[in-house]
Amino acid sequence: MAKIGAKKTTGWKATISVAMANYIEAGSIIAAASSLTMWQAYLHLDNIAVGLLSALSANAFGAAVGALFGGYLCDKYGRKFIYTYDLLAYMLGVLLIAVSVNFPMLLVGTIITGIAVGAGVPASWTYIAEEAPADKRAAHVGTAQLAWSTGPAITFLLAVLLAPLGLLGSRIIFIHLLIIAFITWYIRQGLSESALWKEGKEREAKEGISDNKGILKQLLSLRPNREALFLLIGIYLFWNLTAGAMGYFMPYIYQNVGGLTGTQANLLQVLLWSLTVATTYFVFMKLGDKFSRRALFGIGAVMGIAAWLILTFTGMNWFSLFAFVLLWGSAAGFGAQAFYGLWASELFPTKYRAGAQGIMYFLVRLGIAIWSFILPTVMDKLGFKTAGIVMLVFLAIHCVIGILLAPNTNGKSLKQIEEERFGKPKAIKGKAI
């Protein structure tokens, strides 16, 4: 398989091909979200079934399991190993969803897609950061965030254009993801292995350092790792308990709480994600290597809180909806996910950089899975306002953690950051770091 893409894929082309994991991830979530109401009507699904689809999807537990194993395999066998196989499984999953005629088919396809998506995400952030120039790391990592934002914008637009076709339109959207996945998989076969990963493996072999043993133990026992885990899980989990639920349920909320039509709901999401694309490029990618990352993070976090304050306490009228979309859509471009992808690749040693991300991603998506499972019932029994207040609490927690603990890593190479946090390799020889 690796010989198929004989022509080498390097530079920005390599970055973009790897970043497409995020387009595919977000596109999968939105393809499911934009069609949730239609699947519910077609298959006569109750709240439990809807919650189960969300909880096991690329938005939650399916991706969590994939990331846990994908991160470990990425560190053990190389970043390129993941890119050889993950999208093959993904193509099987989205194809199964596209041709589903009953709930078991839809559920199995959703699970396979989620696992495949999760396996590729830690590898993408890791590879991009390891191959990026030190003074342009935010710009390169931002490409993943840009792809993550572009996926929903295009998918929601397709949902609007294909709305007259009903559920057939949704099936076509999943086929579009299958085609994108195949093209991306083909291009990725020309990727070279991460130079940092190869260098680390060669040093391990030379010095006789054991391979990938005790990763979880070291994550918990070494102080720099504990600090990084608290920061990264703190910002990404609590932000994602809101954003992850939005990614899957927002069109559902617009329609069932706000009384919007499916087309109106999807057009709002097109606008929201288009704003995220714009601020990812013009704020995160352009300014993330030049200005205070703490300040950028703080501005985005406060904007997100303001958005949910408006939506929760002013009701769903057109003013509040547009204000919400403007604030949240803009903030998401340089919010927790963008900085998580950057800091998660900077704050751990090369030896288990992807594995650490896999563990964190697992915990975050597990949290989203639990919240996504109960959210439809919470809104049904307690109302949207109660759910909105809970979302605001999550956002406030992530804001405080990020502003207080944001690291100063601008312009530093990954080797320099690792040495500052863990010491030089010779000082830790014989320890599985």
Side-chain angles (χ1 to χ4, degrees):
M1 277 180 201
K3 295 181 179 179
I4 292 178
K7 187 176 180 180
K8 290 294 182 183
T9 303
T10 58
W12 274 105
K13 184 178 180 181
T15 295
I16 293 170
S17 71
V18 172
M20 288 303 291
N22 293 268
Y23 178 100
I24 288 165
E25 176 200 11
S28 302
I29 295 169
I30 302 310
S34 62
S35 61
L36 186 58
T37 302
M38 288 183 284
W39 283 112
Q40 186 178 26
Y42 174 64
L43 298 176
H44 308 291
L45 305 179
D46 58 18
N47 283 340
I48 299 298
V50 171
L52 195 61
L53 281 173
S54 175
L56 298 178
S57 70
N59 192 44
F61 191 69
V65 173
L68 188 64
F69 289 100
Y72 170 79
L73 294 173
C74 187
D75 284 332
K76 185 173 181 64
Y77 298 110
R79 302 5 180 170
K80 185 175 169 57
F81 173 84
I82 298 296
Y83 299 135
T84 304
Y85 300 106
D86 68 323
L87 289 184
L88 296 177
Y90 176 85
M91 287 185 272
L92 173 63
V94 292
L95 179 61
L96 190 57
I97 294 173
V99 300
S100 290
V101 294
N102 54 51
F103 181 66
M105 288 181 69
L106 181 62
L107 184 62
V108 172
T110 296
I111 293 171
I112 294 174
T113 300
I115 292 173
V117 161
V121 170
S124 72
W125 282 327
T126 296
Y127 186 90
I128 291 171
E130 289 178 348
E131 294 295 292
D135 60 345
K136 295 181 180 178
R137 193 178 304 116
H140 280 254
V141 172
T143 306
Q145 175 73 7
L146 193 67
W148 183 79
S149 309
T150 303
I154 292 177
T155 304
F156 273 121
L157 182 58
L158 287 174
V160 172
L161 295 175
L162 297 173
L165 299 179
L167 193 57
L168 175 60
S170 175
R171 298 180 191 275
I172 293 172
I173 291 173
F174 280 103
I175 293 297
H176 126 269
L177 289 170
L178 187 152
I179 294 170
I180 294 294
F182 176 78
I183 295 171
T184 303
W185 173 81
Y186 180 82
I187 295 173
R188 284 180 178 180
Q189 304 317 298
L191 288 171
S192 299
E193 184 55 81
S194 163
L196 270 178
W197 182 83
K198 288 195 296 185
E199 179 183 318
K201 286 297 181 182
E202 289 169 359
R203 188 177 72 247
E204 288 175 10
K206 182 178 179 181
E207 298 179 356
I209 299 174
S210 59
D211 182 38
N212 274 337
K213 291 183 179 179
I215 291 177
L216 183 58
K217 180 179 179 180
Q218 290 175 75
L219 284 176
L220 297 176
S221 63
L222 296 178
R223 181 176 178 179
N225 284 335
R226 293 198 303 270
E227 292 172 347
L229 288 171
F230 186 81
L231 165 67
L232 294 166
I233 293 176
I235 64 170
Y236 200 46
L237 171 61
F238 288 103
W239 180 81
N240 245 308
L241 287 173
T242 297
M246 281 181 60
Y248 201 87
F249 284 113
M250 211 60 208
Y252 181 85
I253 291 171
Y254 287 150
Q255 294 174 65
N256 289 275
V257 179
L260 275 63
T261 66
T263 298
Q264 289 172 332
N266 288 335
L267 282 173
L268 271 181
Q269 292 298 86
V270 171
L271 176 59
L272 185 150
W273 287 105
S274 296
L275 289 168
T276 304
V277 170
T279 54
T280 297
Y281 182 76
F282 289 108
V283 180
F284 187 77
M285 294 177 68
K286 291 295 185 181
L287 304 180
D289 293 303
K290 301 175 182 177
F291 294 96
S292 168
R293 291 172 179 172
R294 185 192 304 271
L296 290 176
F297 174 89
I299 292 169
V302 171
M303 287 172 64
I305 291 172
W308 271 92
L309 280 170
I310 292 171
L311 194 66
T312 301
F313 294 106
T314 65
M316 285 198 186
N317 52 65
W318 281 110
F319 171 79
S320 65
L321 287 172
F322 276 118
F324 171 79
V325 165
L326 178 63
L327 285 167
W328 183 271
S330 299
F334 56 103
Q337 174 143 313
F339 281 103
Y340 170 83
L342 179 63
W343 291 334
S345 299
E346 292 179 333
L347 299 182
F348 297 102
T350 301
K351 181 177 177 64
Y352 51 78
R353 179 171 291 125
Q357 290 185 53
I359 291 170
M360 290 188 295
Y361 200 83
F362 174 83
L363 294 174
V364 169
R365 292 296 172 177
L366 179 61
I368 298 172
I370 296 170
W371 178 232
S372 296
F373 183 71
I374 65 175
L375 180 57
T377 303
V378 170
M379 289 191 295
D380 183 50
K381 302 296 184 182
L382 302 178
F384 174 74
K385 187 174 182 179
T386 299
I389 291 172
V390 175
M391 302 282 202
L392 281 165
V393 173
F394 293 153
L395 291 175
I397 294 172
H398 112 279
C399 177
V400 172
I401 292 174
I403 291 175
L404 291 179
L405 301 180
N408 180 19
T409 52
N410 297 52
K412 299 177 182 178
S413 70
L414 293 182
K415 285 185 178 179
Q416 181 183 352
I417 296 170
E418 184 172 337
E419 289 180 2
E420 287 179 356
R421 292 173 59 78
F422 298 92
K424 294 185 178 181
K426 288 185 179 180
I428 56 174
K429 181 177 179 180
K431 296 181 181 180
I433 288 185

